[in-house]
Amino acid sequence: MQIPDYSSQIKAVFFDIDETLYMKDTDTLPESVFPALKKLQENNILIGIATGRVVASFPPKIQALIHALNINTFVTSNGQFVQCQGEVLRNAAIPLHIVRPLLNFFQQEQIAYAVINNHKLCVSEITPRLEEALNPITHNYSVDPNYCDHHPILQILSFSDESQDELIENSGFLAGLKTIRWHKNSLDILESEGSKARGIAEVAKHLGFSMENIMAFGDGLNDLEMLSQVGVGVAMGNGHPKLKAQAKHVGKEVDKDGIADFLARANLI
């Protein structure tokens, strides 16, 4: 696969975390990631993290990477929180009058859920379905079904399988919200206009960049908007087929040094 020389176009590169920078099932950060990202910085290219996670659930190895490279630009919770070089550009809580009725519905239907902000992740109860989806990501959560009543919520997770998607979509409690399936046992639920792409666009505007000046890497369905709206969208070789079909480029798998390989072939490192 021939990759163009993007060195004169790209001013910032955003990375998803799970199965892009990092393999959550094996708690592995490929050895090639740190030197590749360090070289990006040496070439005066901004590094950003764009993830469905919130900061409170970043894996320790990603936290160490961020600390070592002093990364300070984040699009988290699928674009609900945006920070650029330490300055908060967006911290968009879902209104309680939308959150509470939806959570009441989940309780009625015996669907476990999580509510998330950048500092804490609380779950309604601990179930096998929840543990299968959530534990590979983080164990840093506590049980508090009423957390939303006293704290801002950026995102909700329902621990439901595909057989329950229609039930949730037809519940009448998703006004102003959208769902994205990220695991066979879980949906992301966030603002209908929320996306990593929206968050990245805010960073670009803040820095005086065009979206054409941005490259982004991802693997999942919550990366669709991001990869289609930046100048250069790169799907990982291990990515979802729908994402790979829409991305400008498809790189190698995360465990085959897909990040470093593509950056080198694009002449960014």
Side-chain angles (χ1 to χ4, degrees):
M1 176 177 57
Q2 185 66 35
I3 307 298
D5 183 338
Y6 285 116
S7 59
S8 63
Q9 176 182 341
I10 299 303
K11 297 180 180 180
V13 183
F14 280 82
F15 300 94
D16 174 47
I17 293 178
D18 296 299
E19 317 317 322
T20 298
L21 281 177
Y22 165 83
M23 293 169 280
K24 65 178 182 291
D25 290 341
T26 57
D27 185 30
T28 304
L29 184 73
E31 291 183 4
S32 59
V33 166
F34 177 83
L37 270 58
K38 190 172 188 295
K39 187 63 176 177
L40 277 181
Q41 289 182 328
E42 291 171 355
N43 292 339
N44 296 313
I45 296 173
L46 177 77
I47 295 171
I49 301 294
T51 177
R53 289 180 182 253
V54 291
V55 174
S57 69
F58 281 10
K61 289 180 180 177
I62 292 295
Q63 292 175 350
L65 178 74
I66 288 167
H67 178 74
L69 295 174
N70 195 27
I71 297 171
N72 57 12
T73 298
F74 303 97
V75 173
T76 64
S77 194
N78 288 311
Q80 297 294 96
F81 181 88
V82 182
Q83 178 177 317
C84 179
Q85 297 178 331
E87 181 178 349
V88 176
L89 305 183
R90 174 181 288 272
N91 190 3
I94 304 171
L96 181 60
H97 74 267
I98 294 177
V99 173
R100 175 41 73 191
L102 178 60
L103 301 190
N104 290 344
F105 167 75
F106 287 151
Q107 289 175 330
Q108 174 187 318
E109 297 296 331
Q110 298 183 317
I111 295 172
Y113 60 81
V115 292
I116 305 170
N117 58 35
N118 242 359
H119 307 290
K120 197 168 181 66
L121 191 157
C122 288
V123 303
S124 58
E125 60 181 322
I126 296 175
T127 66
R129 181 174 288 166
L130 180 150
E131 290 182 311
E132 183 179 350
L134 196 55
N135 284 4
I137 293 176
T138 184
H139 290 269
N140 185 23
Y141 56 83
S142 55
V143 177
D144 185 350
N146 300 313
Y147 181 79
C148 72
D149 295 326
H150 306 289
H151 300 87
I153 302 304
L154 298 180
Q155 186 171 323
I156 301 165
L157 305 180
S158 71
F159 295 97
S160 50
D161 64 26
E162 291 184 359
S163 71
Q164 297 168 295
D165 284 358
E166 187 175 354
L167 172 70
I168 294 170
E169 290 294 336
N170 294 333
S171 68
F173 297 113
L174 292 180
L177 303 174
K178 68 177 178 181
T179 65
I180 305 168
R181 181 160 291 282
W182 64 274
H183 187 277
K184 66 179 183 179
N185 287 330
S186 188
L187 292 172
D188 283 331
I189 303 172
L190 63 152
E191 285 184 322
S192 56
E193 299 303 316
S195 70
K196 296 180 185 182
R198 182 177 69 173
I200 290 172
E202 292 185 44
V203 172
K205 181 179 179 180
H206 182 76
L207 295 175
F209 294 170
S210 161
M211 288 291 270
E212 284 298 308
N213 299 132
I214 295 176
M215 177 182 288
F217 291 82
D219 73 291
L221 294 177
N222 64 340
D223 297 315
L224 280 167
E225 296 98 335
M226 176 173 76
L227 296 199
S228 62
Q229 293 181 38
V230 298
V232 184
V234 185
M236 303 301 291
N238 50 277
H240 194 286
K242 288 183 180 178
L243 187 72
K244 292 196 284 188
Q246 291 195 24
K248 190 165 189 175
H249 298 288
V250 177
K252 293 183 179 179
E253 291 83 354
V254 57
D255 59 352
K256 295 181 180 177
D257 299 316
I259 295 290
D261 175 78
F262 190 91
L263 292 173
R265 289 198 288 161
N267 201 32
L268 295 184
I269 61 174

